[in-house]
Amino acid sequence: MGSWEDVLHRVSADDELLLFDQSSISDEFRKPRGHRAIGVAYQPELESYGNYVPTVLPNRYDAFLYLDETEALHPLHIEPEEINPPDTYPWGV
């Protein structure tokens, strides 16, 4: 509660692209709030410890894309072609 994601959801359930112009940032955006760090893998059993870092959005990002609701990707079911990798695979030199 009180994270950037929470605040943006309460303001509007719409997806938002925020572009930060350092000369015209409101005081609300200068407040540090929790933010789920990019690259954090969600592990429900660790959630009580928190995967959030204190963040002032315009200090961390030039732009921020907020997606209110997402869903997991589903794998593509593609049959691999039978090819012989080069002798230098996987280095390619």
Side-chain angles (χ1 to χ4, degrees), residues 30-78:
R30 297 208 181 272
K31 292 181 180 177
R33 298 181 187 275
H35 167 55
R36 186 177 289 277
I38 292 174
V40 170
Y42 177 69
Q43 296 179 325
E45 65 278 5
L46 300 177
E47 189 63 22
S48 63
Y49 298 106
N51 289 321
Y52 290 84
V53 294
T55 301
V56 175
L57 283 182
N59 291 355
R60 183 170 285 221
Y61 307 111
D62 294 325
F64 184 80
L65 180 59
Y66 169 72
L67 302 174
D68 188 64
E69 201 172 304
T70 62
E71 59 185 59
L73 296 175
H74 302 284
L76 298 175
H77 297 287
I78 299 173

Side-chain angles (χ1 to χ4, degrees), residues 21-41:
D21 174 0
Q22 294 297 326
S23 64
S24 61
I25 296 170
S26 75
D27 290 340
E28 283 301 309
F29 279 104
R30 297 208 181 272
K31 292 181 180 177
R33 298 181 187 275
H35 167 55
R36 186 177 289 277
I38 292 174
V40 170

